[in-house]
Amino acid sequence: MARIPIHYDSFMISNGLKGSERANVGRIKHHTLVRDADDMTVSAYDHHIARLTNIVPGDVSTFRTICLEWRIVVVVRNPGVSTLRAGNLGIGVTGKPEEDKQGLKVGNDVVRRANGELIVGDYDLMSVWAAEGHGYEKIEFTRDGSGHGAKWTNPEAERLFLRFNASLTIKLEHGANDDWKTDNPIYQNIRNNGVIGHRSYVAFTDTGDYKLLGSPGALKSYYLNVLKVDWPYSV
């Protein structure tokens, strides 16, 4: 049986605070994970996509499987590298909780909270699309209000959210960035920030495959030329 070594460098754990208050509070040493080449649950192809996107390999498999089952396209903004590293090493982590959105800096860090819990960047969905005939129809993937207690705006989005979180290692915490409706200028800037700067994305397709989108410009081109929809941002 072939064995595949996957090497990860050492990396820091931070306290998650910002500016001068940010501090390193630990280190995870470099590690080599060896897995079976014939592992069909998380394939070598899933590991390949994981290295390109920083999404945990098992979660890559989940996205691909569900997109094929539901005949949907899910566009995800790629998380920081700590999400991949921690997930691959089997470290018990969770995505950044909704209530900490403004309080912690995660990014490429693994963060240790005061209670000892380790958290990494969660998965930020950009949009969800149903394959219909020769085109795509938007599935509005958002809640009517903030926080986990707010109701989903449509039953299909809620069912899909629950289906994903039944299998994902790093759970979805909220709706899609495109569908975030707000009149608050501060939150509008946060929404637009999802398509500014050195961002990259991946589209998991209704065929069970993927398309890497290495910049906001590539994402915009995918919307216009593949999904055939208008660009939903003012930037």
Side-chain angles (χ1 to χ4, degrees), residues 53-206:
T53 63
N54 292 332
I55 296 174
V56 177
D59 291 346
V60 168
S61 178
T62 292
F63 278 118
R64 292 177 59 224
T65 297
I66 294 175
C67 286
L68 183 61
E69 286 178 357
W70 287 59
R71 294 200 67 240
I72 58 175
V73 173
V74 175
V75 183
V76 184
R77 185 168 74 235
N78 296 331
V81 69
S82 68
T83 301
L84 172 64
R85 286 167 164 171
N88 267 330
L89 297 181
I91 299 167
V93 295
T94 186
K96 188 176 183 181
E98 184 80 19
E99 63 271 16
D100 282 339
K101 290 297 172 188
Q102 302 303 314
L104 290 175
K105 174 182 173 60
V106 177
N108 289 321
D109 287 357
V110 171
V111 169
R112 180 180 288 141
R113 303 174 79 188
N115 63 3
E117 180 184 33
L118 293 177
I119 66 172
V120 293
D122 59 334
Y123 299 137
D124 289 330
L125 302 192
M126 301 302 291
S127 57
V128 182
W129 306 86
E132 298 288 347
H134 297 292
Y136 298 95
E137 182 177 318
K138 187 174 187 57
I139 299 175
E140 187 175 80
F141 200 81
T142 188
R143 288 185 171 111
D144 186 16
S146 60
H148 291 118
K151 293 182 178 180
W152 289 90
T153 57
N154 72 77
E156 186 176 16
E158 183 175 19
R159 288 194 298 270
L160 186 55
F161 177 83
L162 294 173
R163 173 67 182 90
F164 273 123
N165 279 356
S167 301
L168 288 171
T169 299
I170 305 297
K171 309 300 182 186
L172 301 181
E173 294 282 345
H174 49 76
N177 200 72
D178 289 8
D179 302 331
W180 188 3
K181 298 177 177 63
T182 176
D183 295 324
N184 186 318
I186 295 175
Y187 293 136
Q188 288 175 346
N189 286 337
I190 295 174
R191 178 181 181 274
N192 285 335
N193 190 52
V195 293
I196 294 174
H198 299 291
R199 305 281 193 178
S200 65
Y201 315 83
V202 59
F204 292 103
T205 72
D206 54 298

Side-chain angles (χ1 to χ4, degrees), residues 219-234:
L219 177 65
K220 183 175 182 178
S221 178
Y222 186 80
Y223 275 45
L224 298 176
N225 299 316
V226 178
L227 298 175
K228 306 291 186 183
V229 298
D230 293 334
W231 181 240
Y233 296 93
S234 60

Side-chain angles (χ1 to χ4, degrees), residues 16-31:
L17 300 179
K18 300 179 181 180
S20 62
E21 296 182 332
R22 181 175 178 272
N24 293 321
V25 296
R27 176 180 287 277
I28 296 174
K29 298 296 185 181
H30 67 274
H31 180 87

